[in-house]
Amino acid sequence: MQITEERRWVLTAEIDYTYIGSLVDRTLAGDSDAFAELYAATCQKQYLFSCCYLKDENLAQDALQETYILALKNLGGLQDGKLFISWLNQINFRVCYRLQNRQQRYNNEMRAFEGVSETAPAPVHDSPEAHAIRLDDREYILQQVMALPPSESQVIFLHYYKEMKINDIAYLMDLSRSTVKRYLASGKARLSKSLSR
């Protein structure tokens, strides 16, 4: 899903992080209306992120629901209420990642059940062992990406695995373009070190 200028315009309201922090404090004090306000202030952008990531509106709605349930359950662990949106972005990213993996497993099982190969056939010159090693390597690299610090793993995953543009990543994560580029560079450097080991 591409972020259109019209959709970007609808979601460009300035966020008052101090007010967000006060809503978090009120929620922790037992004010359910405060969490409803947090939801109202952040749900459109979180839904857009889920849609861009999952490319399925129904799955995105599931991700949104799970994200806010997890946020409410774990809100007491948030050290600074002003960081709520960044923290929520990380929860949403992990939820989308998990939902997509679950959906891919389901699709693969359905294809296998229907007698359709779950992966493209290996080239004729490629042995089954070499094909398996290549698949293992891809899985290992993805695990290393997910082990990076959260901001770096999100930016690398969205840019290289989801093929999102830097502008769109910056917009969805409330970062500047230069910060996204910095996270890409530092994440790739850290990833290079871990893979060389």
Side-chain angles (χ1 to χ4, degrees), residues 1-12 44-53 55 158 162-174:
M1 172 182 283
Q2 194 75 355
I3 301 177
T4 63
E5 285 305 315
E6 177 183 323
R7 190 179 290 253
R8 191 182 303 255
W9 181 81
V10 169
L11 301 172
T12 54
Q44 287 185 335
K45 203 166 206 178
Q46 294 302 317
Y47 178 69
L48 180 59
F49 177 87
S50 298
C51 283
C52 288
Y53 187 106
K55 300 188 181 359
L158 293 173
K162 292 296 179 179
E163 300 176 352
M164 288 180 68
K165 296 176 182 171
I166 288 175
N167 285 342
D168 291 342
I169 295 169
Y171 175 73
L172 286 173
M173 292 181 67
D174 284 327

Side-chain angles (χ1 to χ4, degrees), residues 117-133:
S117 169
E118 60 185 77
T119 59
V124 176
H125 64 277
D126 201 5
S127 70
E129 294 85 10
H131 184 69
I133 289 170

Side-chain angles (χ1 to χ4, degrees), residues 28-82:
L28 290 171
D31 183 352
S32 60
D33 291 338
F35 191 76
E37 268 191 77
L38 280 172
Y39 176 83
T42 58
C43 70
Q44 287 185 335
K45 203 166 206 178
Q46 294 302 317
Y47 178 69
L48 180 59
F49 177 87
S50 298
C51 283
C52 288
Y53 187 106
L54 296 166
K55 300 188 181 359
D56 180 319
E57 290 186 12
N58 292 325
L59 272 180
Q61 290 172 357
D62 292 345
L64 191 67
Q65 181 178 358
E66 190 173 336
T67 296
Y68 282 96
I69 289 170
L70 287 170
L72 185 57
K73 282 183 182 177
N74 299 299
L75 194 59
L78 181 61
Q79 300 295 322
D80 182 355
K82 293 177 188 173

Side-chain angles (χ1 to χ4, degrees), residues 14 16 18 29 44 49 82 85-87 96 101 116 119 125 150 153 186 191 196:
E14 282 295 314
D16 181 353
T18 303
Q44 287 185 335
F49 177 87
K82 293 177 188 173
I85 292 175
S86 167
W87 179 71
C96 288
N101 282 346
V116 177
T119 59
H125 64 277
S153 70
S186 61
L191 189 59
S196 67

Side-chain angles (χ1 to χ4, degrees), residues 12 96 102 130 133-134 137 139 148 155 178 186 190 197:
T12 54
C96 288
R102 190 180 312 153
I133 289 170
R134 202 168 51 248
D137 286 347
E139 182 64 29
L148 291 171
V155 167
S178 61
S186 61
R190 201 183 309 266
R197 277 184 251 139

Side-chain angles (χ1 to χ4, degrees), residues 53 90 93-94 97 100-101 136-163 169 173 183-197:
Y53 187 106
Q90 292 175 18
F93 175 76
R94 299 289 178 183
Y97 178 76
Q100 184 181 43
N101 282 346
D136 283 346
D137 286 347
R138 269 192 242 147
E139 182 64 29
Y140 176 73
I141 291 170
L142 183 57
Q143 288 172 357
Q144 295 304 309
V145 168
M146 297 310 287
L148 291 171
S151 295
E152 291 176 359
S153 70
Q154 289 174 18
V155 167
I156 286 177
F157 191 85
L158 293 173
H159 187 65
Y160 292 107
Y161 286 86
K162 292 296 179 179
E163 300 176 352
I169 295 169
M173 292 181 67
Y183 283 149
L184 277 174
S186 61
K188 287 188 326 190
R190 201 183 309 266
L191 189 59
S192 177
K193 282 181 188 175
S194 70
L195 291 177
S196 67
R197 277 184 251 139

